[in-house]
Amino acid sequence: MQSSSNASALRQTAPAGAGWMQGLMGDMDEAAPGLGLAQRLVVGVELRVIDGRLAPGTKMPSVRALAGKLGISTFTVTESYSALRARSVLASRPGSGYYVLHRPAPAPNVVAPPAAEAHADHDRPPPAEYRGDELVREAMRRVARATPEWDDGARPGLGLVRLRERIAARHRAELPALGPQQVMTAAGSLGAAMCLLQAWTAPGDAVLIESPASRQLRRLIHTLGRGTLEVPRRGGCLDIAALDEQAALLPAEGRRRLLFVSTAVSNPLGVCMTPQGAHQALQAAERHDLRVIELDAWRGLSPLQAPSLAAMDGLQRVAQVGSVSATLSARLRLAHVLLPQRWTDDPALRCLHTTLGPSEFEERVACEVLADAGHARFLQRLNTSLKIAGERTLSLLTGAGLQALCVPDGGPFLCAGWPAGSEPRPSSDAVLLEARKQGLPLTAAADFCTTPQPFAWFRFNVTQCGDERLVRFLARIKNP
């Protein structure tokens, strides 16, 4: 049953003018570049509700009209409207259409996203030699040649059963009791985070997030109208004292108290959590009744046996987000979430997965990739290539007087800057401007955190820092 405030909003209906659609497609790409089209439309519409461009009671365009204006399919718009309805952003009237319900309040006492994020370039895909495009293309060919019964009834609520069984089997060494019913597929790691955020929090809520953290995740959280409470990360450990302090600002309801943290090859640091750090994080989660979202998309690039919070916890209060596609190809966007058994029947989560989950085609392709012996060989080659590229990049940076924020354990990311005392130090703006000129996708610390840092640093992607370009960039910085 709708609340009285929502019912009042529906009585004060007004048609949506064309102004709210101005720049919608561009804003969708800017706010959530790693999401699918339906998910990005959800983000774009909810952002306009939050900032007031779509007022309560506004009548939305029909599915056909909006699809025509945006040049997308009616199926995509239907998916997006269904998800917005599930989140109580829109309400539907039979025979009349969709209406805006309310304008969520901003989250109190939380860190606002830095202005630098609005101007940062999107993460570029790595060069072809670091991708598994052919592996994915061949899997797509096999799926396309097969004749699956695409219309064999309603799809399971959490994804393709065969894929979920395969993913569960891959994790049974650490989680012997894990069953496919505890696996949910997702349209990429950001798509998984979006489902969990929308199922378990409301606009205006704050969530705990390690700092520094992925800028795309931080941008997604803020775009959805949630706030971030940053918990500094000191190498392989969280600042537990800061976590204890920030946890007091979370919503009182247990299901809405979330902590986002990475254990294996974090973005942007590229470091793994230590066993001691993982144990401390789980103790704090239990102490403050937190649901932990373990971001594990890059575990395949970790040369270490990084701890798994989900395994240490026995899937009691941890949901682990893993990825099939992060290390492979932009052609495939497929992730998975390992869920505690008691969370799998959450109706909000199932509804959001139905509307925002991956396509069955992508799920079938992921099945083929995971069954291919070439996948393991690809990961081995990729780890070797990344290690060589990382050592080369670190050597070049050190030779130019930069200091690594921490030595990465693996993966494509390396953070470094000019420490105090290495004068003259170029300004952040000058560094970013020169990086753009040289074609390096460099990003500054402000894109990943707002907590104090030991010195101004930048994230380098070692797959995009070839000798010639990086040497040319460093030479120009030293001798402008």
Side-chain angles (χ1 to χ4, degrees):
M1 182 178 294
Q2 293 171 338
S3 67
S4 58
S5 61
N6 286 344
S8 175
L10 281 176
R11 285 194 294 270
Q12 302 170 10
T13 58
W20 74 272
M21 269 188 279
Q22 185 69 32
L24 176 61
M25 296 299 284
D27 286 355
M28 286 159 55
D29 291 336
E30 173 66 27
L35 297 178
L37 185 55
Q39 295 168 310
R40 299 205 310 271
L41 181 54
V42 169
V43 172
V45 170
E46 189 161 4
L47 181 62
R48 279 155 173 72
V49 174
I50 290 170
D51 67 18
R53 281 177 282 179
L54 280 171
T58 300
K59 185 175 190 250
M60 297 295 291
S62 70
V63 169
R64 188 176 298 277
L66 185 57
K69 287 181 181 296
L70 298 180
I72 59 180
S73 73
T74 55
F75 179 73
T76 298
V77 177
T78 299
E79 281 191 305
S80 303
Y81 275 4
S82 296
L84 289 162
R85 185 173 179 271
R87 288 298 305 146
S88 297
V89 176
L90 300 182
S92 63
R93 288 180 178 174
S96 179
Y98 290 88
Y99 296 82
V100 176
L101 274 180
H102 65 282
R103 179 181 178 183
N109 302 319
V110 296
V111 178
E117 280 193 303
H119 306 291
D121 293 333
H122 300 325
D123 289 326
R124 301 177 189 172
E129 62 266 29
Y130 295 96
R131 301 197 305 262
D133 289 328
E134 186 52 42
L135 197 64
V136 174
R137 275 195 293 266
E138 182 54 39
M140 287 181 170
R141 292 187 194 106
R142 290 197 295 270
V143 172
R145 285 195 299 265
T147 55
E149 296 179 3
W150 298 104
D151 298 318
D152 56 356
R155 293 185 62 202
L158 296 179
L160 190 69
V161 173
R162 184 159 58 95
L163 176 59
R164 291 158 59 201
E165 288 174 343
R166 189 173 294 280
I167 291 170
R170 293 169 69 91
H171 287 85
R172 288 214 181 97
E174 293 181 321
L175 292 162
L178 180 67
Q181 74 278 6
Q182 292 175 260
V183 180
M184 180 182 80
T185 62
S189 298
L190 279 181
M194 183 177 182
C195 281
L196 299 178
L197 276 166
Q198 297 213 85
W200 294 341
T201 65
D205 284 349
V207 298
L208 295 171
I209 184 170
E210 67 178 6
S211 176
S214 159
R215 60 179 177 174
Q216 289 187 344
L217 175 65
R218 295 175 72 245
R219 186 182 297 140
L220 173 66
I221 292 170
H222 287 286
T223 300
L224 292 176
R226 281 69 168 168
T228 54
L229 297 165
E230 299 192 13
V231 179
R233 179 160 176 167
R234 314 299 183 198
C237 300
L238 295 178
D239 185 331
I240 300 299
L243 190 157
D244 289 338
E245 181 180 344
Q246 297 282 46
L249 302 175
L250 292 175
E253 185 184 348
R255 63 181 278 134
R256 295 163 64 186
R257 298 170 64 82
L258 305 187
L259 166 64
F260 286 83
V261 64
S262 296
T263 47
V265 189
S266 65
N267 179 7
L269 299 179
V271 298
C272 298
M273 188 169 280
T274 65
Q276 179 186 11
H279 182 66
Q280 291 174 345
L282 283 177
Q283 284 184 319
E286 184 174 359
R287 189 163 59 247
H288 297 292
D289 191 24
L290 305 177
R291 290 191 175 192
V292 181
I293 314 302
E294 181 181 21
L295 304 173
D296 211 34
W298 300 98
R299 181 172 291 270
L301 300 183
S302 171
L304 304 176
Q305 189 60 40
S308 162
L309 294 181
M312 293 172 66
D313 172 66
L315 278 186
Q316 295 301 308
R317 61 172 66 250
V318 176
Q320 186 185 80
V321 178
S323 178
V324 175
S325 58
T327 56
L328 280 170
S329 171
R331 295 172 178 269
L332 182 64
R333 186 178 290 117
L334 200 292
H336 62 265
V337 186
L338 308 184
L339 293 162
Q341 181 63 52
R342 67 183 185 280
W343 297 353
T344 58
D345 291 328
D346 188 323
L349 194 58
R350 286 179 172 269
C351 179
L352 285 162
H353 179 271
T354 299
T355 54
L356 300 178
S359 69
E360 185 174 349
F361 180 78
E362 286 182 301
E363 290 178 321
R364 289 175 180 271
V365 169
C367 269
E368 292 291 329
V369 170
L370 293 179
D372 193 329
H375 181 232
R377 292 195 296 269
F378 165 75
L379 286 179
Q380 289 175 348
R381 292 195 304 272
L382 180 60
N383 269 315
T384 300
S385 298
L386 288 174
K387 182 181 180 186
I388 294 171
E391 290 174 349
R392 178 189 62 213
T393 302
L394 182 59
S395 176
L396 290 171
L397 295 174
T398 303
L402 282 81
Q403 178 180 319
L405 185 63
C406 51
V407 178
D409 295 317
F413 307 123
L414 172 60
C415 298
W418 285 269
S422 56
E423 307 298 343
R425 286 183 293 170
S427 69
S428 291
D429 288 344
V431 172
L432 295 174
L433 179 61
E434 188 59 39
R436 282 196 292 271
K437 288 180 180 177
Q438 300 295 332
L440 290 174
L442 204 62
T443 43
D447 277 0
F448 304 99
C449 61
T450 59
T451 53
Q453 299 294 304
F455 53 84
W457 51 265
F458 305 87
R459 192 195 73 174
F460 295 80
N461 188 323
V462 301
T463 69
Q464 313 226 8
C465 293
D467 287 346
E468 182 181 344
R469 284 194 302 161
L470 186 57
V471 169
R472 187 167 60 241
F473 163 74
L474 294 173
R476 286 282 298 273
I477 284 293
K478 292 175 67 175
N479 303 289

